[in-house]
Amino acid sequence: MENIMKAAVIHEFGGPEVLKYEEVETPNVGPNDVLVKVHAVSVNRTLDLEVRANKYARTPTLPHVLGVDPSGVIEAVGNNVTDRQIGERVYVSLFVPSDDPAAIKLPGVGGVDFLGVNVWGGYADYVKIPASVVYPIPDNLGFHDATVIGRHLATAINQVEGVGNITEGDWVLVMGAAGGLGSAAVQVAKMNGANVIGAAGADDRVEAALEVGADYAINYRKQELSEEVLRITEGQGVKLVCENIGDPELFIGAFNSMGRGAKMVTAGAHAGGKVSLDLWKLYLFQLQIIGEPREQPGGLEKALKLAGERTFKTLIDRVMPLSEAATAHRIVADRGGLGKVILDPTLG
């Protein structure tokens, strides 16, 4: 294996132009690590664009390599590693075990750092990671699909099943239903027997929401969201809203779509995150708003296993070489295309 690899490195915070495609040293594998040759890593608005611009809650040490969800092939294993094999196809978890007292604590996991946020990530030919946080990819999944499923499906399962407790016949509204997390939530809700309303901001995204399984779809740029939801649900509203947009106007419509005792779960604020809240309705309708971006303990392993047993549709807009990371960031920032943008270091 060569001592030098290519990576998209940031040496300063700023716009997409700060991503520099350059040579760096290939990481040395520790006794409990594996080295993964990256075949896919996605471009995420919050955990990539916000980190690059230093607008995220955590500030990485520079120079830094982004990339929270790589998939690839194990190229080397540490001396203590017995449960992973060279040549194995794997997905790399976002959560990296950490003994730092300041690390975020996750139930059943303990302290964690975030891959691609305060640990060098997958915008590189290779990523070094503890063997305990890589998971085999089912044979029926390619690397590009595995990266999207690994990034979003476990969170969607937690939001719909763990938080929403959705069962047969419940009504669910999914905002941003053509996005990575949104499209996963649509499919998980359908898997649990729910009636699903997918909401999106363009006609092609509305069509995509229907294609991944939504029973109804609303263009919230053309239709009044809560009026349509109440019409579809015959006035009762929904039991669960999956909301990851944080747009001041759209939030009101989503909130007013909630029926009595309903929950709203959120794991994103792509449109700014500052919204108004009707406290009268909040307590009179006994509503709950819950921030939950995590997966349940064992959730990632469960999600990948589930994806191996049944078909989950992934929305991928395009696959680009790692050398075009800056362009990929511009595309995501401009909200161009439909579906995830994937970087593949093996291309070009």
Side-chain angles (χ1 to χ4, degrees), residues 252-333:
I252 294 172
F255 183 78
N256 288 335
S257 299
M258 299 170 71
R260 291 188 178 276
K263 297 177 180 178
M264 176 185 288
V265 62
T266 181
H270 300 159
K274 303 294 185 182
V275 300
S276 62
L277 182 62
D278 182 350
L279 291 177
W280 287 279
K281 179 166 183 174
L282 183 73
Y283 64 75
L284 289 173
F285 275 56
Q286 297 177 296
L287 306 178
Q288 297 181 56
I289 301 175
I290 302 163
E292 184 52 275
R294 303 169 300 176
E295 59 206 43
Q296 296 170 334
L300 181 54
E301 189 173 18
K302 174 184 175 180
L304 288 169
K305 182 175 184 294
L306 189 62
E309 295 171 348
R310 57 187 300 152
T311 300
F312 278 88
K313 296 180 180 179
T314 59
L315 300 177
I316 295 176
D317 179 68
R318 68 192 76 190
V319 179
M320 304 173 66
L322 179 61
S323 58
E324 297 180 17
T327 300
H329 273 229
R330 292 186 183 98
I331 291 169
V332 173

Side-chain angles (χ1 to χ4, degrees), residues 3 5-11 20 22-28 34-36 38 41 48 51 60-70 92-94 96 113-130 133:
N3 294 326
M5 68 175 184
K6 289 292 186 69
V9 185
I10 57 173
H11 296 271
K20 305 298 183 184
E22 60 190 41
E23 292 184 341
V24 297
E25 290 187 8
T26 303
N28 293 317
V34 296
L35 188 69
V36 177
V38 179
V41 61
D48 291 315
V51 173
T61 301
L62 299 178
H64 182 63
V65 174
L66 300 166
V68 303
D69 51 17
V92 180
S93 171
L94 165 67
V96 183
D113 289 325
F114 288 2
L115 182 74
V117 177
N118 54 346
V119 175
W120 274 33
Y123 280 26
D125 288 336
Y126 298 95
V127 61
K128 180 192 76 170
I129 197 76
V133 294

Side-chain angles (χ1 to χ4, degrees), residues 31 41 45 79 106 108 110 130 142 177 198 223 237 246 251 253 266 279 282 305 347:
V41 61
R45 184 172 297 277
N79 293 333
L106 294 182
Q223 299 165 284
F251 181 86
T266 181
L279 291 177
L282 183 73
K305 182 175 184 294
L347 299 178

Side-chain angles (χ1 to χ4, degrees), residues 169-224:
D170 290 336
W171 284 97
V172 176
L173 169 63
V174 179
M175 302 293 288
L181 180 57
S183 61
V186 167
Q187 293 175 81
V188 174
K190 285 304 299 177
M191 183 180 70
N192 284 272
N195 302 306
V196 181
I197 305 171
D203 289 341
D204 60 344
R205 286 171 163 75
V206 166
E207 185 62 33
L210 293 170
E211 288 177 0
V212 298
D215 299 289
Y216 304 88
I218 298 170
N219 184 336
Y220 47 57
R221 302 297 182 190
K222 293 182 176 180
Q223 299 165 284
E224 205 294 318

Side-chain angles (χ1 to χ4, degrees), residues 85-253:
Q85 307 285 332
I86 291 175
E88 193 171 7
R89 302 166 68 250
V90 294
Y91 174 82
V92 180
S93 171
L94 165 67
F95 303 117
V96 183
S98 174
D99 295 327
D100 188 338
I104 291 178
K105 306 300 190 295
L106 294 182
V109 179
V112 295
D113 289 325
F114 288 2
L115 182 74
V117 177
N118 54 346
V119 175
W120 274 33
Y123 280 26
D125 288 336
Y126 298 95
V127 61
K128 180 192 76 170
I129 197 76
S132 60
V133 294
V134 299
Y135 297 87
I137 296 171
D139 292 339
N140 65 316
L141 289 185
F143 293 114
H144 303 155
D145 288 332
T147 275
V148 179
I149 286 171
R151 176 72 188 92
H152 294 296
L153 184 56
T155 299
I157 291 171
N158 190 21
Q159 289 189 341
V160 173
E161 297 181 356
V163 175
N165 194 29
I166 292 302
T167 57
E168 186 81 27
D170 290 336
W171 284 97
V172 176
L173 169 63
V174 179
M175 302 293 288
L181 180 57
S183 61
V186 167
Q187 293 175 81
V188 174
K190 285 304 299 177
M191 183 180 70
N192 284 272
N195 302 306
V196 181
I197 305 171
D203 289 341
D204 60 344
R205 286 171 163 75
V206 166
E207 185 62 33
L210 293 170
E211 288 177 0
V212 298
D215 299 289
Y216 304 88
I218 298 170
N219 184 336
Y220 47 57
R221 302 297 182 190
K222 293 182 176 180
Q223 299 165 284
E224 205 294 318
L225 180 62
S226 61
E227 289 182 2
E228 282 298 302
V229 170
L230 292 174
R231 181 187 65 80
I232 291 168
T233 62
E234 298 182 345
Q236 66 177 296
V238 299
K239 180 179 178 180
L240 177 69
V241 177
C242 297
E243 207 289 327
N244 64 351
I245 302 173
D247 179 276
E249 295 183 6
L250 295 177
F251 181 86
I252 294 172

